[in-house]
Amino acid sequence: MTGATSAPAGPLDGPSAPEAAPEAAPEAHWLRRWVADLAMGARFALGGGREGWTRTVLTSAGVGLGVAVLLLATSVPHMLGARESRDQARENHGATETEKSDRSALYTYTDTEYRGSDVRGRTLQPEGSDPPVPPGLSELPGPGEMAVSPALKELLDSADGELLRERLPGRITATIADEGLLDPVELTYYAGSDQLTHGGAVFRVDKFAEVSEPAPIPALLLLLIIVICVVLLLPVAAFVGAAVRFGGDRRDRRLAALRLVGADSRMTKRVAAGEAATGSLLGLAVGAAIFLPLRQLLGEVNLWGIGTFPADVRPSAGLVVLIAFGVPVGAVLVSLLALRGVIIEPLGVVRNAGVRRRRLWWRLLPLVAGLALLVPLLDGLETGQTSVETYQIAAGVTLVLIGVNALLPWLVESAARRLRGGGLSVQLAVRRLQLDSGTASRAVSGITVAVAGAVALQMLFSAVVDDQQRHTGQSPERAEMLVTVPATAQLSEPEVTAGLAETRGVKQVFGQTTGYAVRADQNPDDGAVDSVTVADCATLRELAKMGSCENGDVFVTERSPQEEPESVTGAKPGAEVNLAMPDYSRPEGKQQREPVLWKVPEDARTVKGRTDPMGVASEGILATPAALDVSRMPGASVDVYVRTDDGVADAKEFVRNTAAAVGPTATAISLKATSTTAQFRAVERGLYAGATGILLLIGASMVVSTLEQLRERKRLLSVLVAFGTRRSTLAWSVLWQTALPVLVGLALAAVAGVGLGTVLLRMSALPFAVDWGNLAGVTVLGGLLVVLVAVVSMPALWRLMRPDGLRTE
Amino acid sequence: MTASTSALLTASGLHKTYGSTPALAGADFVIHPGEVVAVMGPSGSGKSTLLHCLAGIVPPDSGTVHYRGKELSALSDARRSALRRADFGFVFQFGQLVPELTCTENVALPLRLVGVGRKEAESRATRWLERLEIDDVRHHRPGQMSGGQGQRVAIARALVGAPSVIFADEPTGALDSLNGERVMGLLTDAARETRAAVVLVTHESRVAAYSDREVIVRDGRARDMAGAV
Amino acid sequence: MVYSPRMSISHTLLGLLESGPRHGYDLKRTFDQRFGHDRQLHYGQVYSTMSRLLKNGLVEVDGIEAGGGPERKRYAITDAGVTDVEQWLASPEKPEPYLQSVLYTKVVLALLTGRDAAELLDTQRAEHLRLMRELTRRKKDGDLADQLVCDHALFHLEADLRWLETAAARLDRLANVVRG
């Protein structure tokens, strides 16, 4: 057997050796024999002529794609971790008190939004010679200066950024380095100022990286992430499994030739294992070769405002080791498993698959086991909960999806067995499936898992999104935007309102001054707080239902039984209230203000409060400007609801620009009837991107197996054409043959997906609902894939149908 | 044998080159209704290519093939396919039966191709299987039969559409002599009975002995031996 | 057409003369070299054959070397002799077993005399096939004994033809050996 490794000649030269060798040292050298057999497999993979070579290329390309996806997936934890640590390093949420010193600075958030993109903004004002500098900067920008991220700089320099430039007029003196950015596409800036005064939203900092423990990922989100990982990675595994089997038929015939020259069946298995291992090892190399440039490419990608630094895309070492060992081992196991149904005889290959009918019962086992893991968790997940039985859920979902996968071949087989009738092309397709449905099922199984998972996820998503929407309750039809100016800006409501009313694209404005009060006889720190709103009658009507209203009137809102007892509230006619609430932004001990006393007029009318456009119920004291002078309300902020003109493009950007001009602390927000948190949005987008990629991967493997099958039938196709068979008949038969398993797979996926979705919904105590539109969308996507595969296979089919096939023998 | 008026299929001056290898270099051929003509010659001499050109499967580079007065190369690919469906039958050496279809379905295939309904096609197929004494395997798939049974199925399939010409390319090539003899006997008897002409490509003289005359193909040219002796 | 397999020696010698006049001794040596693998020609056979050919006017005496016995006669072929060889080569042998030697002789002679050996083979095959067709027909109508007998004949005829075909395939090489 020693000759096998050294002989450089053709594949059939080596195996004659084993017959000669065994007597020499059969036991002492079993390891050497193993190594030699594996090496021979490797040689087949690398040098087995064009056929062996093609097979190796296909396998390694398939495995490589899978490995690249796995490497990418295992990089996600580090990607998120690095992002988060950079995020923490640059923030200071002002949770701790800081004394004014040489090393302190005033700090406020000036985040804004520009044409749907979030822009993170911070304004800083040093209070001494040694102020804190956030990561990515060498010094703070001076007053009127800005340091911006590269992406923001690009935007501001472009024509697209003109309107934003008006809002951020500072001179750009520095670019924020990578360590101060979440990702290369992030829009962020630091502005210098000398206008900030301490208090309100302006707080004092003397360092960064001052954040409380990051909010743990909510249980629901965690559930989603677990399911997404399972749903996206399982098809990749299925794909790698299919890639390892590419060209199996030819390999079997080659092994038969090996047996003819004296190899025993165990030896052929070892040779097959060597071949599979070689293909998958090459696949690992290909995967790395794909991953490395892909990583660089990710730095250029801006997917819905989220990007990545190539340096962040770093798979964790443990998982890399797992992939490096797991993929070849898995590949070998899959090939050996595939050989189980095949008897390789010296004179040919006997396939006993197809004769044996598939049994149902063991195929149901994983499904049952998965459900057994998930069912005890029903109703067990609170929305606010932060820890979940991660492994139990992941295992349960995985088992259910694997169970669906196991069920598919059985279903395709029984569907094909039951099908009768139809035209010739259908008959050809059905008969083909009846004889060998395994190949077809394997190609489709990835789709089934991906679609079942996607359906379940979508159900969970829409439920979660609905859940979020119920908490929103904003009414954009009453006002699209809300501009808020805190008291520290020292601006009166009419000034702000007038400025906004003149802004381009604004139809209507409702301005109000809002402060708080406690009853004069109570301690401001722990008394019952009532809101005090001062606005003209037009605005007040938005806040409460009232009959007549004249400047000088005062109203109090009706109380609902759940609220504080009437005895403690100041919101009633004749009550005396203290308008000077403590200023909690000041250090402890300096928060109390001088009391400002005001008596609610005896003739104040009681009215029924309305919800304001923000969705908050109005309550407390509502006063017209003539009844209460707003200058007596320390700490009151100005809120202006803005109605914009839909016909004016960028109306909201003009409003934001006006608000920004008011001062760094003025904020302008858009009201939305629905709101999903950014986290959920990002996860959902990731899912769609992943699912699309997976479907394309599966499409690729289906094309390969279809082409392979066609090539196998080259002679038959030529004979059929010689008979005068219409090419279209054969083309249709290919389409049916591809479509039938996919249809069965999609139907199964829809049922399984809705089932799994229901379990997940019950688990998170969300109401059952199926978004049939989405379900149809996913199914249509699968159908498109069939068409795509058929269309891509057509040129090859046409070529194979030429009469040349008759000549080959 | 020179009366070209009664000829069913005539070819003259056929040239065909694959790549740089000439397969046919000016071959002529005539066959009359009900005639069995053996095409013989060494391997690589162009026998099969001649058959492919005669059947309109491969268009010749130059030269003409006339079937019932129609020039084949003047027809479109679709028309030639239609002609092969309706008027020609084929038997090859192997690999011609659709492995997924049962015998009956395989035999019914040509009828289905010309639009005969499934039931009718399969009942006609069954009658042919009975004639060729293989109706016991009619529900078997090709993989479950012996080579001889498979070739008989192929012959049934070639005959089922009542073709005017049957093209048989080494029909007994994969069979032992006794099976080959049976297959040839069945083929020629059935052909004579239905007045179908048979173009029989073979390199075996015992098979060629079932023919009425032989044509020798050598170096891409065909030599009709009918008048030679 | 008269089949006369026994005449093959005279035709062979005649054919050998076609390439040029030879002595009787020379004729025997060439014959033995080319065709006499299993049995050599007696001198007597050569002389008796030559005298018959002389009588029939197919050869003539080209010259006699001085002091010579009969072996010193030099023979040349006549036009009638050439025609006779021509006819012999063109007429297929009656298909029957053990024709190899005569067929081989014909092929070699055809090559030696620059004739188309492929033509010869095709003609012979046609003749074989004619008989084989007849046997095939007879077999179909006959009883078991007939079938067995016919099979025997058919297989032998087939073997002949196979050999002929192989010979045809080897013609180029054979031509070089013979002419060289």
Side-chain angles (χ1 to χ4, degrees):
Chain A
M1 204 45 239
T2 46
T5 43
S6 55
L12 294 183
D13 295 349
S16 54
E19 288 307 311
E23 266 87 11
E27 273 159 58
H29 293 294
W30 69 267
L31 188 66
R32 258 173 76 193
R33 213 164 53 227
W34 269 66
V35 170
D37 288 347
L38 292 175
M40 186 190 299
R43 233 172 19 141
F44 277 155
L46 298 175
R50 227 194 88 200
E51 256 183 34
W53 196 77
T54 313
R55 173 177 142 73
T56 309
V57 166
L58 283 176
T59 304
S60 54
V63 173
L65 274 175
V67 165
V69 172
L70 283 176
L71 284 175
L72 215 56
T74 52
S75 303
V76 168
H78 185 263
M79 246 155 83
L80 296 177
R83 247 180 113 87
E84 198 176 276
S85 69
R86 279 196 302 273
D87 190 37
Q88 288 182 18
R90 69 182 185 177
E91 295 295 4
N92 184 332
H93 295 314
T96 51
E97 289 303 328
T98 305
E99 287 300 320
K100 180 174 176 176
S101 75
D102 197 34
R103 297 181 48 245
S104 70
L106 294 178
Y107 183 71
T108 192
Y109 297 168
T110 44
D111 291 346
T112 185
E113 194 187 323
Y114 184 65
R115 291 182 178 157
S117 304
D118 290 325
V119 180
R120 172 185 177 270
R122 300 287 183 267
T123 300
L124 284 149
Q125 179 176 324
E127 290 186 308
S129 58
D130 189 20
V133 178
L137 289 184
S138 51
E139 55 176 353
L140 289 185
E145 294 178 346
M146 292 197 303
V148 298
S149 66
L152 182 58
K153 185 172 163 53
E154 196 180 322
L155 176 62
L156 288 174
D157 288 347
S158 71
D160 274 347
E162 233 171 272
L163 265 177
L164 184 61
R165 190 72 179 122
E166 281 175 31
R167 198 178 315 164
L168 308 175
R171 198 156 51 85
I172 297 171
T173 54
T175 306
I176 306 169
D178 289 353
E179 70 218 66
L181 300 173
L182 292 188
D183 58 53
V185 300
E186 188 186 25
L187 302 173
T188 184
Y189 70 93
Y190 294 97
S193 174
D194 51 8
Q195 306 290 316
L196 299 183
T197 51
H198 187 225
V202 179
F203 47 90
R204 178 171 286 132
V205 299
D206 61 359
K207 57 177 176 288
F208 289 95
E210 189 62 26
V211 292
S212 47
E213 271 297 293
I217 303 179
L220 256 182
L221 188 59
L222 201 58
L223 177 65
L224 279 176
I225 291 175
I226 294 168
V227 178
I228 286 174
C229 286
V230 172
V231 163
L232 293 188
L233 288 183
L234 267 187
V236 172
F239 176 75
V240 171
V244 170
R245 289 176 160 210
F246 285 158
D249 291 350
R250 278 158 193 244
R251 194 259 332 268
D252 293 349
R253 267 176 306 193
R254 199 144 16 107
L255 293 178
L258 258 189
R259 294 230 36 203
L260 190 61
V261 292
D264 62 24
S265 78
R266 255 175 309 172
M267 185 179 159
T268 54
K269 286 208 167 73
R270 288 198 292 270
V271 172
E275 211 175 327
T278 308
S280 57
L281 283 173
L282 278 177
L284 282 180
V286 171
I290 296 174
F291 175 69
L292 292 175
L294 194 69
R295 193 167 165 253
Q296 290 305 316
L297 201 69
L298 277 178
E300 309 290 318
V301 168
N302 179 353
L303 219 55
W304 311 292
I306 295 176
T308 318
F309 285 119
D312 286 353
V313 188
R314 197 191 306 155
S316 76
L319 290 173
V320 168
V321 171
L322 196 67
I323 291 174
F325 281 98
V327 168
V329 168
V332 168
L333 287 181
V334 167
S335 346
L336 293 183
L337 213 65
L339 278 180
R340 213 189 30 167
V342 179
I343 300 163
I344 296 176
E345 292 291 341
L347 288 176
V349 180
V350 182
R351 243 161 263 279
N352 52 13
V355 180
R356 194 182 58 221
R357 253 211 207 163
R358 293 169 204 282
R359 294 223 168 77
L360 182 59
W361 66 268
W362 72 260
R363 290 171 188 277
L364 286 171
L365 285 184
L367 197 63
V368 172
L371 286 176
L373 281 176
L374 292 179
V375 166
L377 298 175
L378 289 185
D379 294 320
L381 213 65
E382 294 296 320
T383 313
Q385 193 182 329
T386 51
S387 75
V388 289
E389 278 66 302
T390 312
Y391 294 106
Q392 194 175 344
I393 294 174
V397 172
T398 308
L399 279 171
V400 167
L401 290 177
I402 287 178
V404 167
N405 225 338
L407 217 52
L408 183 69
W410 181 84
L411 264 182
V412 170
E413 192 188 73
S414 24
R417 212 174 34 239
R418 276 179 185 76
L419 267 176
R420 299 238 188 294
L424 186 59
S425 52
V426 176
Q427 189 186 18
L428 285 171
V430 167
R431 286 286 191 248
R432 168 112 195 113
L433 289 173
Q434 283 173 354
L435 206 64
D436 178 21
S437 59
T439 317
S441 306
R442 265 200 300 285
V444 175
S445 63
I447 293 189
T448 311
V449 173
V451 169
V455 168
L457 273 174
Q458 279 203 336
M459 284 174 67
L460 194 55
F461 256 122
S462 10
V464 167
V465 167
D466 284 351
D467 201 44
Q468 299 286 307
Q469 278 169 5
R470 258 180 283 134
H471 295 301
T472 310
Q474 298 177 352
S475 318
E477 69 281 1
R478 283 167 70 190
E480 281 92 346
M481 297 188 79
L482 170 62
V483 176
T484 302
V485 182
T488 45
Q490 310 278 322
L491 282 166
S492 75
E493 176 259 306
E495 289 173 89
V496 178
T497 308
L500 284 169
E502 286 161 15
T503 301
R504 214 175 126 197
V506 171
K507 270 202 314 209
Q508 209 174 352
V509 288
F510 303 100
Q512 64 189 55
T513 306
T514 308
Y516 296 93
V518 290
R519 249 182 30 198
D521 55 0
Q522 291 194 355
N523 181 351
D525 272 335
D526 53 15
V529 179
D530 286 300
S531 76
V532 181
T533 306
V534 181
D536 60 19
C537 284
T539 306
L540 288 184
R541 280 183 209 285
E542 290 289 318
L543 305 177
K545 290 180 183 132
M546 50 187 67
S548 67
C549 171
E550 276 175 40
N551 201 358
D553 286 352
V554 174
F555 307 89
V556 293
T557 57
E558 262 177 27
R559 314 203 65 79
S560 58
Q562 299 96 316
E563 287 174 63
E564 312 255 4
E566 195 150 345
S567 56
V568 295
T569 182
K572 60 179 183 183
E576 188 163 42
V577 294
N578 178 6
L579 296 173
M581 294 294 288
D583 181 356
Y584 295 108
S585 67
R586 292 193 207 157
E588 198 98 27
K590 296 182 181 175
Q591 294 175 338
Q592 294 300 333
R593 287 190 171 106
E594 278 300 300
V596 178
L597 298 181
W598 178 68
K599 190 169 181 252
V600 182
E602 295 285 355
D603 62 350
R605 273 181 283 152
T606 301
V607 292
K608 211 180 164 87
R610 287 178 68 184
T611 16
D612 65 16
M614 281 296 281
V616 179
S618 301
E619 56 185 27
I621 302 159
L622 306 174
T624 50
L628 175 56
D629 181 1
V630 295
S631 65
R632 298 188 63 205
M633 295 164 64
S637 62
V638 174
D639 292 324
V640 184
Y641 287 104
V642 179
R643 229 179 246 182
T644 55
D645 183 351
D646 290 342
V648 178
D650 285 331
K652 289 185 174 179
E653 303 307 327
F654 290 121
V655 172
R656 288 198 184 99
N657 281 3
T658 306
V662 167
T665 52
T667 59
I669 60 164
S670 269
L671 273 55
K672 293 185 187 93
T674 61
S675 100
T676 41
T677 70
Q679 274 174 318
F680 276 113
R681 247 172 22 213
V683 170
E684 191 176 14
R685 286 160 182 168
L687 169 70
Y688 284 131
T692 311
I694 292 293
L695 279 181
L696 285 178
L697 260 187
I698 293 163
S701 89
M702 284 178 76
V703 166
V704 168
S705 68
T706 306
L707 291 185
E708 209 168 56
Q709 205 181 83
L710 288 177
R711 227 177 24 232
E712 289 278 309
R713 298 161 72 80
K714 183 175 173 180
R715 185 179 163 82
L716 184 65
L717 288 171
S718 299
V719 168
L720 285 173
V721 170
F723 266 64
T725 311
R726 283 181 201 88
R727 286 173 164 78
S728 59
T729 307
L730 295 175
W732 277 107
S733 121
V734 168
L735 185 75
W736 293 133
Q737 192 189 314
T738 317
L740 184 81
V742 171
L743 285 180
V744 173
L746 285 177
L748 176 64
V751 172
V754 170
L756 184 61
T758 311
V759 171
L760 292 175
L761 287 181
R762 284 283 309 278
M763 204 185 280
S764 24
L766 289 167
F768 172 83
V770 183
D771 185 341
W772 297 109
N774 273 337
L775 190 60
V778 172
T779 316
V780 165
L781 209 62
L784 278 180
L785 199 67
V786 175
V787 174
L788 192 79
V789 169
V791 166
V792 172
S793 316
M794 280 308 125
L797 178 64
W798 245 248
R799 208 173 51 244
L800 289 170
M801 282 190 294
R802 284 194 310 220
D804 305 32
L806 289 173
R807 287 180 56 227
T808 49
E809 316 305 323
Chain B
M1 290 279 190
T2 49
S4 61
T5 43
S6 67
L8 187 62
L9 189 64
T10 335
S12 62
L14 293 182
H15 285 261
K16 180 74 192 177
T17 303
Y18 288 113
S20 59
T21 347
L24 290 179
D28 302 325
F29 186 87
V30 176
I31 193 167
H32 301 83
E35 205 181 9
V36 179
V37 176
V39 177
M40 302 188 73
S43 353
S45 60
K47 301 186 295 274
S48 292
T49 306
L50 177 62
L51 181 139
H52 295 162
C53 284
L54 292 173
I57 300 172
V58 174
D61 295 339
S62 68
T64 56
V65 178
H66 282 93
Y67 170 73
R68 291 195 200 278
K70 270 177 293 197
E71 152 92 72
L72 285 193
S73 50
L75 299 179
S76 69
D77 184 59
R79 292 286 304 281
R80 269 185 286 136
S81 294
L83 185 71
R84 292 202 297 272
R85 283 200 291 274
D87 288 29
F88 296 169
F90 295 88
V91 184
F92 296 99
Q93 182 174 353
F94 63 92
Q96 55 196 319
L97 298 178
V98 182
E100 298 85 30
L101 299 184
T102 64
C103 284
T104 315
E105 287 166 340
N106 260 300
V107 174
L109 201 62
L111 296 174
R112 306 275 328 264
L113 286 175
V114 294
V116 177
R118 187 163 171 168
K119 265 219 168 100
E120 166 69 14
E122 287 183 4
S123 87
R124 269 154 77 179
T126 309
R127 281 204 293 281
W128 271 104
L129 288 172
E130 279 162 8
R131 258 208 71 173
L132 296 183
E133 298 156 29
I134 39 168
D135 53 320
D136 51 326
V137 294
R138 66 169 171 246
H139 296 303
H140 291 206
R141 293 207 166 99
Q144 303 164 312
M145 294 184 294
S146 72
Q149 289 170 323
Q151 281 311 84
R152 277 192 261 170
V153 172
I155 286 169
R157 185 168 71 174
L159 289 163
V160 73
S164 305
V165 190
I166 293 166
F167 294 92
D169 193 348
E170 302 281 9
T172 60
L175 302 181
D176 62 41
S177 50
L178 211 55
N179 266 306
E181 190 177 291
R182 271 196 68 55
V183 162
M184 280 317 298
L186 289 166
L187 174 63
T188 48
D189 285 354
R192 291 212 166 86
E193 202 170 300
T194 57
R195 293 273 299 154
V198 179
V199 178
L200 169 67
V201 168
T202 183
H203 68 279
E204 282 181 274
S205 42
R206 267 181 315 109
V207 173
Y210 285 86
S211 65
D212 299 319
R213 64 184 165 93
E214 77 273 13
V215 165
I216 309 296
V217 181
R218 178 171 285 130
D219 301 330
R221 294 172 150 276
R223 182 157 176 235
D224 196 333
M225 298 307 293
V229 182
Chain C
M1 206 177 289
V2 183
Y3 294 105
S4 47
R6 279 176 311 280
M7 277 175 66
S8 66
I9 291 178
S10 63
H11 281 115
T12 310
L13 294 176
L14 207 50
L16 286 175
L17 282 177
E18 225 186 309
S19 50
R22 287 169 197 258
H23 293 105
Y25 169 76
D26 191 21
L27 273 173
K28 175 199 152 28
R29 221 180 46 201
T30 314
F31 184 98
D32 286 348
Q33 214 176 348
R34 299 236 185 271
F35 311 112
H37 314 288
D38 35 4
R39 64 200 157 102
Q40 303 231 323
L41 217 53
H42 293 297
Y43 281 116
Q45 261 177 304
V46 177
Y47 302 135
S48 64
T49 307
M50 280 300 132
S51 61
R52 198 168 63 244
L53 291 175
L54 266 173
K55 209 163 60 197
N56 294 344
L58 301 178
V59 297
E60 56 194 12
V61 177
D62 191 46
I64 306 168
E65 271 179 37
E71 73 272 22
R72 288 290 166 217
K73 259 184 202 158
R74 205 161 72 150
Y75 300 95
I77 193 165
T78 62
D79 286 349
V82 172
T83 313
D84 193 60
V85 171
E86 182 93 47
Q87 268 176 8
W88 179 65
L89 285 178
S91 59
E93 294 300 316
K94 185 173 170 24
E96 56 181 40
Y98 314 116
L99 267 177
Q100 290 94 320
S101 57
V102 59
L103 287 175
Y104 177 75
T105 309
K106 280 182 152 186
V107 169
V108 173
L109 275 180
L111 285 171
L112 277 175
T113 54
R115 289 184 172 86
D116 187 357
E119 172 77 27
L120 185 152
L121 295 177
D122 284 350
T123 314
Q124 186 61 50
R125 176 172 30 224
E127 192 57 31
H128 265 65
L129 271 176
R130 183 188 302 199
L131 181 59
M132 287 177 79
R133 282 196 187 99
E134 202 186 303
L135 289 168
T136 304
R137 257 195 306 278
R138 208 192 299 165
K139 194 168 74 172
K140 221 171 79 183
D141 306 327
D143 57 14
L144 183 62
D146 276 342
Q147 287 177 354
L148 291 177
V149 169
C150 290
D151 272 342
H152 184 263
L154 277 170
F155 277 113
H156 276 292
L157 290 169
E158 187 188 25
D160 276 354
L161 277 177
R162 281 227 185 125
W163 174 82
L164 263 183
E165 262 144 28
T166 313
R170 289 195 212 270
L171 271 184
D172 281 345
R173 230 196 304 170
L174 198 60
N176 289 336
V177 172
V178 170
R179 290 192 188 118

